[in-house]
Each structure stands twice: as structure tokens, then as C-alpha cells.
Amino acid sequence: MTAASAAMRYRYAFALLGVVQTALIFTLAAIAVPLPRIGTELSLERADLILLSAAYGLTFAGLVLLGGRLADRYGGRRTLTAGLVLFAVSSAAAPLAPGIGALLAARFAQGAGAALVAPAAMAVLRAVFPFPPDYGKAMATWGGLSVLGATAGNLFSGVISALLSWRWTFALPLVVALAALALTPRLLPDTAPNPGRSLDLPGAVLATAGITLVSYGLVVTDARPWSSAGVLVPLLGGTALLAAFRYAEGRARDPLLPPRFLLDRRRSLALAAIASSACGTAMTFVVLSLHLQQVRGWSQVQTSAAFVPFAVALIASGRAAGPLIGRYGPRAVTAAGLGTGAAGLILLACTGLDAHTGYTYGLLPGLVLLPAGTAASFAGASVLATDGVPQEQTGLAGGVLNTAMECGPTVLLTVLLALGNDAAALAATGTVLVAVGLSNHRTQ
């Protein structure tokens, strides 16, 4: 194989993995805008809608650490293929669901499939780019794919739902999964399993149950008071399970999440940057989607169109992030991105929620600054989070990174929205980004 053909094969492999990663997050966000229409068609209560919106993320966040270790144990490509099969089957079942029970089951299964695919894709990516400089460049681009997927999900789901049906929003994830299954044997390298690595099933059970219960408890605070049993029982039970998980990991021979893995200060701050950036993006989509439709009376299509500049700025910043990281380093780019994203959130808090302020002056500046900043921070933080990770722990790194990406918005979004004021919640999220950015900038 010539150098030119090898380079082309690497690009095709990266493109395939990148499309898959984008589709996973697209699927997470795809029902956010059409959720009211789903509720009307299926005659759902508010509590049903909350659970439906959270179902995919609950299993994704709860199982992704286990998915990472499975990729390290059995090989990235094998785990990726298994996850794609589950993701494809559940994506085909979701639009056929006659009621809430079947639709919930499909969304839970989609999340389980994604929990296998996401870390396995990062393990295969490491095999595609085995040399650290090439892998670092790949991760600089990879970091922006998740927020791109979330933007695409919010952007296109409203249009698809308005023109066709919300059921058609599941078509893209299904097509991507089927195409990936067909192309994986031809484009992606096989990754050797590690039979000497145990799975730490007790740790997997404790982590999965703990993360899922805490996430569920936070999600239902939207429909129940914090003092209710429906909130306190899962929150306290999940917290106890996570405490037991930490205790068990310190004594396991081959732990699911080695405690020392998070002791690297740069890695822990990078994960905080990923979590807070994901929260800023999620906060903006939730608050502005409701504001534009409920306060300004915009249609689903108009609401989706409002985020077009968001997507353009996101793509432009993502393309610029790699060269900037090469010149200034991932730490500086992460800190600058967090500061820029914080400025966008604060602008939206000050002007974006005023119904008498026009789109161009009230919303557009924040909708450009926020994605420009978060794309840069995702790219820089993804490089920092995976820097120096041994190849046999690449799946673990992918699991931890995706856990931060999924759990960050759940925890922070719930706490900040509890302020009861959307403008205050946006400003508070911006303050969190500034604090994390300063911490990253000071880290040596």
C-alpha cells in the first residue's frame, strides 16, 4: 500500500467513525424539539415526556464505562459491531412503536447500543492513528463532533417533524448504523482483544446502577419536588451505590475505573471542561427552544432555523481548533474556548430572553459566540483527556469522556434550572465555564 493510499484509507476510517459518533449524539437530541407533538399523538402526561426525553441518556451514561472496558477486553472493532447491531435494531423499532412502553424500550436500547459504540469507536480510532501526534490531531477534530451532533439533532428534528412525522427522526441513526455495519470490515482495522483483562462485573453493576439512579432522580425533579420520595430515593440510593463503587474500585484487582486514572489534574479538569461545555449547549437548546415556541410563538421550523448560525459557527470553530491546538497547545485553547462560550451564555442571558429584542441583536451574538467557544473547548479538552493514555486503556478513556459528556448536562442542568429563572440559569452556566476555564489555564 502506497503512502497516498494509506492516507486516504485513514481519512475514510476517520470519516466513518466521526459520522457514527455524530449520529449517536444526534439521536440523543433528536426528540427534544418534537417532544410536544409526540406527547399529543401518544396522549402522554408530563412525567411520561420527561422519562422519554431522558431514556436514551440514562442507559448511555449508565453503561458507557462498562462499554469502554468491554472494548479494551474484547477489542474495539468487535465491541463497535455489537453496539451498532443493537443501535440499528432499536432505531428500526422506535418509529414503529404504537405507544409509550414500546417507544421507551427502544430508546433505552438505543442508549445501551450507544454506550458500546462510543468508547469502542475511540479504541478503533487509536488503532487507526497509533502514533501520538497523529492521534492528538484526530482527537482535536473528534472533540467537536458531539456538540455538532447535538446541534444537528435540534436543527433537523423540528423540520423533519413538521414536514413529515417525528417518527422519521429515527431514519438517520438507522441509515448510519446500517452503513457503518457494512463498511466496518472494509475500512476499520481489527483490534486485538486483551484476554488477560477481567471485566470487574461488581464494579460495572455498582457504577451503572449508581449513575442511572442519580441521573433519574435529577431528571424527575422537573415534575416532582426535591423533597418527594420519587426524587430522594433514587438520589440517595444512587449516591450510596457510587460511594460503594469507589470503595470497591480501590480494592479490585482490575478495576472498572482505576482510581489513579482520574488523579491526573489535567485530565480531571479536561473532563470538567467537557461536562460544563456540554451543559452550556444543552442549557441553550432547552431554554431557547421553549422561549421561542412558548413566548415568541415561533413554529418548530422557525425555531430550528434560529440555530443555523449556531451550526455554522460550530463547524468553523471546529475546523480552526486543530491548527490552534497545534500552535498554542490544548490547555490554552480549552481555556479560551470556555471563556468565549461563557461570553455567549451571558449575552443570551442579558438580551436573548427579552421578547421585545430582535433576533439579530438579541440572540445572534450569543448564538455565534457560544458554539465558537464550546467547539474549541471540546477539541482542546478531548486532547487533554486522552493525552498519555496507554493504548490498552483507550476504551476506558472513551468511556470516561462520554460519561462526562452525558452526566455533566444532567447534573448541572438540573441544578441550574432549579434557580427558577432562565436568564439566571444561563448566566450561572456561563460563570461555571469561566471558573473551569481559569482552573485549566492555571494548570501546569
Side-chain angles (χ1 to χ4, degrees):
M1 183 183 294
T2 66
S5 61
M8 183 64 71
R9 184 180 179 87
Y10 294 155
R11 284 197 290 270
Y12 285 150
F14 181 83
L16 175 60
L17 292 170
V19 169
V20 168
Q21 175 68 11
T22 304
L24 297 183
I25 310 302
F26 174 95
T27 307
L28 177 67
I31 67 168
V33 175
L35 199 60
R37 178 166 291 191
I38 297 174
T40 300
E41 182 175 323
L42 299 182
S43 302
L44 303 181
E45 301 293 334
R46 179 177 176 83
D48 296 326
L49 291 177
I50 292 170
L51 184 57
L52 180 60
S53 67
Y56 179 92
L58 285 175
T59 48
F60 193 166
L63 291 169
V64 72
L65 276 178
L66 176 60
R69 294 311 257 177
L70 288 171
D72 290 336
R73 170 65 176 79
Y74 293 106
R77 198 175 82 171
R78 185 180 299 180
T79 307
L80 177 73
T81 301
L84 285 171
V85 170
L86 178 57
F87 189 75
V89 170
S90 52
S91 295
L96 303 177
I100 181 62
L103 185 56
L104 273 175
R107 290 291 283 176
F108 280 128
Q110 275 186 315
L116 293 175
V117 171
M122 283 187 60
V124 175
L125 185 67
R126 183 65 175 269
V128 174
F129 300 101
F131 300 109
D134 296 331
Y135 182 64
K137 291 177 183 178
M139 285 306 301
T141 302
W142 187 268
L145 295 178
S146 294
V147 68
L148 177 62
T151 304
N154 283 274
L155 190 64
F156 293 115
S157 62
V159 176
I160 293 171
S161 175
L163 298 181
L164 297 171
S165 165
W166 60 267
R167 297 178 185 273
W168 281 95
T169 60
F170 295 98
L172 179 60
L174 176 60
V175 169
V176 169
L178 292 176
L181 284 169
L183 293 173
T184 288
R186 283 189 269 176
L187 295 181
L188 301 183
D190 199 6
T191 49
N194 187 351
R197 183 174 295 279
S198 62
L199 282 180
D200 183 21
L201 290 179
V205 171
L206 290 171
T208 299
I211 292 172
T212 303
L213 281 175
V214 169
S215 300
Y216 174 79
L218 290 171
V219 165
V220 297
T221 57
D222 188 67
R224 300 175 181 175
W226 284 82
S227 58
S228 67
V231 172
L232 288 178
V233 170
L235 281 181
L236 295 177
T239 301
L241 288 173
L242 290 176
F245 168 71
R246 182 177 179 182
Y247 177 84
E249 293 301 275
R251 286 153 181 79
R253 182 179 65 85
D254 191 4
L256 182 73
L257 177 59
R260 63 182 179 277
F261 189 80
L262 298 179
L263 292 181
D264 185 300
R265 181 169 169 79
R266 292 201 314 160
R267 183 173 297 131
S268 61
L269 286 173
L271 295 173
I274 290 170
S276 57
S277 295
C279 177
T281 303
M283 176 74 72
T284 301
F285 285 137
V286 170
V287 169
L288 290 188
S289 294
L290 293 175
H291 170 78
L292 294 176
Q293 293 183 70
Q294 296 179 353
V295 177
R296 301 199 184 198
W298 289 20
S299 67
Q300 289 185 6
V301 175
Q302 288 175 311
T303 300
S304 294
F307 288 99
V308 169
F310 189 106
V312 173
L314 184 73
I315 294 171
S317 179
R319 290 182 64 87
L324 288 173
I325 290 171
R327 182 171 183 179
Y328 299 105
R331 186 163 51 86
V333 172
T334 301
L338 288 167
T340 304
L345 284 166
I346 292 171
L347 273 176
L348 289 172
C350 293
T351 62
L353 301 182
D354 185 351
H356 302 291
T357 303
Y359 175 82
T360 303
Y361 299 103
L363 286 168
L364 188 57
L367 286 177
V368 171
L369 285 175
L370 175 61
T374 53
S377 64
F378 263 105
S382 295
V383 174
L384 287 173
T386 54
D387 184 36
V389 175
Q391 186 159 357
E392 64 272 14
Q393 289 189 328
T394 306
L396 168 64
V400 170
L401 191 149
N402 280 278
T403 299
M405 196 181 304
E406 295 300 317
C407 292
T410 301
V411 176
L412 293 173
L413 193 63
T414 303
V415 173
L416 293 171
L417 286 176
L419 295 172
N421 181 287
D422 288 343
L426 287 171
T429 308
T431 303
V432 171
L433 263 65
V434 169
V436 177
L438 289 173
S439 297
N440 271 281
H441 185 65
R442 292 168 182 164
T443 301
Q444 299 299 323

